[in-house]
Amino acid sequence: MKIIWMSDPHFALDGLVLGHDPRVRLQAAIAHINAHHGDAAMCVISGDMVNRGTEADYKGLAKCLSDLAMPYYPMMGNHDSRELFRQLLPVPDTAMYGFIQYQVKTPEAHVLCLDTHKTGSDAGEFCEARRTWLLDRLRDAGATPTFLFMHHPPMPLGLPTQDTDNMEDGQAFLEMVSTFGCVKYMFVGHVHRAISGTVGGIPFSTMRSVLYQAPPPRPEWNWDTFEPSKEAPSIGVIQIKAGSVTLQFDQFCRYELGVNAS
Ligand SMILES: [Fe+2]
């Protein structure tokens, strides 16, 4: 099974976001996906669907994403609004009450799209209600390979301006999920940078944003302000077979496309 992974499009109906045009970038990603990955079973978008969270932005985003050649699964990020999200984006019927958290079952795997949003905060959380929902799904999974998608990392990643905005109760989250052998991989958004590793015995990757990228951790840099790096965006191409997974990072346009556009 092939899954396309996009993260952090930060869509806005007008204007730029940190000097980048979110409409140009998202349209380039969709064109690339349709041209080269039309065989994917689904596209998962790991949060920060919009930058401001207005109704007009969500409507514009939904119109753009309707061009995707495969079903897509939108997820909550810190920039998103649950109310507008539920009204204006296609949320599966399996979503739990009160949260944009849901399961996608396929013959090869269970995909769990988690809601780590904390209202009014850039940092994330995973409350008791969401933990209970996840525990039930992990117990039900048995030996079925299960893949977690989430916006906020449940662990620090060594990024000075970003580690303060992770999942606040990340350690408890990791202690819970690491007891389940069915959990094969975590796919994480939020940091606008590609990082891979293992935590609590679980392999994970983060993903570059469709829009702007976070700089690598270099000790000599001034970290008082956040400035995007001049790196091109990419999508993830995930292949799942018999419980094993590969992730390819696929650049869909050059860095200059949509940067400082008028
Ligand atoms: Fe973001």
Side-chain angles (χ1 to χ4, degrees), residues 7-10 46-51 77-79 151 162 189-192 209 212:
S7 199
D8 293 80
H10 285 253
S46 53
D48 282 356
M49 304 297 298
V50 296
N51 196 54
N78 48 301
H79 284 255
H151 187 68
Q162 295 175 280
H190 194 47
V191 295
H192 293 227
S209 162
Y212 64 86

Side-chain angles (χ1 to χ4, degrees), residues 138-209:
L138 294 176
R139 286 183 184 127
D140 285 351
T144 305
T146 299
F147 297 88
L148 307 183
F149 284 82
M150 70 195 81
H151 187 68
H152 293 86
M155 65 292 185
L157 291 164
L159 298 170
T161 56
Q162 295 175 280
D163 275 347
T164 51
D165 288 337
N166 291 334
M167 186 195 293
E168 286 178 353
D169 36 11
Q171 189 56 37
F173 174 88
L174 287 170
E175 283 169 14
M176 182 181 82
V177 299
S178 63
T179 62
F180 288 91
C182 61
V183 177
K184 302 300 183 192
Y185 213 94
M186 296 191 297
F187 300 95
V188 183
H190 194 47
V191 295
H192 293 227
R193 179 147 204 91
I195 302 168
S196 292
T198 65
V199 62
I202 305 171
F204 72 89
S205 289
T206 64
M207 179 49 63
R208 286 190 176 182
S209 162

Side-chain angles (χ1 to χ4, degrees), residues 19-253:
H20 295 61
D21 186 324
R23 299 162 299 284
V24 167
R25 281 295 180 85
L26 183 59
Q27 282 160 5
I30 291 170
H32 179 91
I33 291 166
N34 289 346
H36 302 292
H37 303 296
D39 57 335
M42 66 182 87
C43 174
V44 179
I45 311 172
S46 53
D48 282 356
M49 304 297 298
V50 296
N51 196 54
R52 295 171 297 204
T54 68
E55 186 173 338
D57 289 338
Y58 276 109
K59 283 181 176 169
L61 172 69
K63 188 166 182 296
C64 240
L65 290 173
S66 68
D67 288 338
L68 273 171
M70 68 284 303
Y72 73 90
Y73 293 98
M75 292 176 54
M76 285 290 295
N78 48 301
H79 284 255
D80 290 303
S81 147
R82 278 200 195 95
E83 200 178 326
L84 290 169
F85 200 111
R86 204 176 268 277
Q87 284 171 22
L88 300 168
L89 294 181
V91 177
D93 295 341
T94 56
M96 69 179 288
Y97 177 77
F99 297 95
I100 313 291
Q101 178 159 295
Y102 52 88
Q103 179 177 44
V104 182
K105 283 186 177 177
T106 77
E108 284 111 321
H110 291 176
V111 174
L112 300 182
C113 294
L114 306 182
D115 179 344
T116 60
H117 178 76
K118 179 181 182 181
T119 304
S121 171
D122 282 334
E125 68 175 3
F126 205 67
C127 62
E128 197 56 40
R130 284 171 275 187
R131 285 171 60 89
T132 301
W133 183 97
L134 178 57
L135 266 175
D136 288 345
R137 295 324 172 274
L138 294 176
R139 286 183 184 127
D140 285 351
T144 305
T146 299
F147 297 88
L148 307 183
F149 284 82
M150 70 195 81
H151 187 68
H152 293 86
M155 65 292 185
L157 291 164
L159 298 170
T161 56
Q162 295 175 280
D163 275 347
T164 51
D165 288 337
N166 291 334
M167 186 195 293
E168 286 178 353
D169 36 11
Q171 189 56 37
F173 174 88
L174 287 170
E175 283 169 14
M176 182 181 82
V177 299
S178 63
T179 62
F180 288 91
C182 61
V183 177
K184 302 300 183 192
Y185 213 94
M186 296 191 297
F187 300 95
V188 183
H190 194 47
V191 295
H192 293 227
R193 179 147 204 91
I195 302 168
S196 292
T198 65
V199 62
I202 305 171
F204 72 89
S205 289
T206 64
M207 179 49 63
R208 286 190 176 182
S209 162
V210 166
L211 191 59
Y212 64 86
Q213 313 312 319
R218 290 181 181 153
E220 73 276 15
W221 287 11
N222 175 8
W223 291 99
D224 293 343
T225 55
F226 180 91
E227 262 193 55
S229 67
K230 292 185 169 56
E231 294 170 283
S234 66
I235 56 163
V237 181
I238 299 164
Q239 291 278 7
I240 293 170
K241 195 171 184 184
S244 295
V245 60
T246 59
L247 168 62
Q248 310 275 350
F249 299 90
D250 189 0
Q251 180 180 331
F252 61 84
C253 71

